[in-house]
Amino acid sequence: AQSVTQLGSHVSVSEGALVLLRCNYSSSVPPYLFWYVQYPNQGLQLLLKYTTGATLVKGINGFEAEFKKSETSFHLTKPSAHMSDAAEYFCAVSPTYGGATNKLIFGTGTLLAVQP
Amino acid sequence: DSGVTQTPKHLITATGQRVTLRCSPRSGDLSVYWYQQSLDQGLQFLIHYYNGEERAKGNILERFSAQQFPDLHSELNLSSLELGDSALYFCASSVASGGAADTQYFGPGTRLTVL
């Protein structure tokens, strides 16, 4: 069964510092990979996704993630944190086989705090 | 704004009761997914409908049921409610039922509180 592990339930960075949120997946076949962001009292918003092709994926708000098959990882980065980046971030996978459903399997989330 | 609407935003009810959550997908989307977000279980997939037909079930209790109507809106019915059912329920929609381009867009959620 596919699963997602997010290392670090809480990450704190200073404004302007590098943001690195870790995500590892478990799957016999490389799945589709996603990062979603959830701001307080709001729904989930897609930051970026990897399906096929270029392994470095650029998303919204200056975020990017790199798919590394050898490491089964899909870490999220942003060169310079902004106060508005404070939110909870979820890594998710979706199976690439079958096609009958595109259900998402989420990690436990990482709460990002940005200190002034 | 994702284009997915959910009503109501908040729902407070008592144990043993039954509630219905409603979701309207984005215009043109045929798939609707339901997810539950709780403190102890995290974000979990419940069920997926595509063009009126059930496609997949996840960790959905037998007390819960869903359907998708001809106009593509969906309802999630929760019955014999227990305290542990208190959670945020999200609906998401996508154009198709799978594939690389099939991104899910999430609604703002319905917060259910069972007292």
Side-chain angles (χ1 to χ4, degrees):
Chain A
Q2 295 181 330
S3 64
V4 178
T5 301
Q6 289 186 243
L7 292 175
S9 58
H10 292 79
V11 170
S12 181
V13 300
S14 299
E15 192 173 17
L18 171 72
V19 175
L20 170 61
L21 305 183
R22 300 178 187 274
C23 173
N24 288 87
Y25 67 90
S26 173
S27 175
S28 57
V29 177
Y32 297 144
L33 295 156
F34 306 80
W35 275 99
Y36 280 85
V37 61
Q38 185 178 25
Y39 297 101
N41 300 313
Q42 293 187 30
L44 286 85
Q45 181 182 8
L46 180 68
L47 278 176
L48 49 79
K49 68 178 183 181
Y50 171 78
T51 54
T52 58
T55 56
L56 183 61
V57 181
K58 294 188 184 298
I60 62 171
N61 302 337
F63 285 93
E64 61 183 36
E66 186 171 11
F67 168 62
K68 291 187 177 181
K69 184 178 177 181
S70 60
E71 299 177 8
T72 61
S73 68
F74 191 56
H75 302 331
L76 182 71
T77 60
K78 182 174 180 177
S80 177
H82 191 272
M83 297 296 289
S84 61
D85 294 327
E88 189 154 24
Y89 292 79
F90 292 92
C91 181
V93 300
S94 178
T96 56
Y97 52 87
T101 186
N102 197 28
K103 68 177 184 181
L104 292 171
I105 300 166
F106 285 93
T108 51
T110 297
L111 190 61
L112 176 66
V114 182
Q115 308 299 327
Chain B
D1 185 355
S2 67
V4 178
T5 60
Q6 290 186 248
T7 57
K9 286 187 177 180
H10 301 277
L11 200 48
I12 301 174
T13 188
T15 54
Q17 295 298 305
R18 173 189 170 93
V19 296
T20 297
L21 313 184
R22 181 187 170 101
C23 169
S24 293
R26 296 187 319 154
S27 177
D29 284 0
L30 298 179
S31 269
V32 170
Y33 305 79
W34 287 96
Y35 293 86
Q36 178 194 59
Q37 185 178 34
S38 63
L39 285 176
D40 54 345
Q41 299 288 337
L43 260 167
Q44 291 207 314
F45 166 74
L46 294 179
I47 197 164
H48 169 206
Y49 276 84
Y50 174 73
N51 204 21
E53 293 186 2
E54 181 185 304
R55 281 301 181 97
K57 271 188 175 181
N59 298 320
I60 187 166
L61 300 171
E62 285 192 12
R63 300 183 285 108
F64 296 1
S65 64
Q67 53 184 327
Q68 186 179 27
F69 294 87
D71 68 352
L72 300 176
H73 91 272
S74 177
E75 293 181 355
L76 179 66
N77 300 294
L78 315 176
S79 61
S80 303
L81 286 168
E82 302 175 0
L83 295 178
D85 298 327
S86 296
L88 197 51
Y89 291 85
F90 286 110
C91 166
S93 74
S94 68
V95 170
S97 66
D102 201 31
T103 297
Q104 291 183 35
Y105 295 89
F106 281 74
T110 293
R111 183 169 296 280
L112 173 66
T113 302
V114 182
L115 301 176

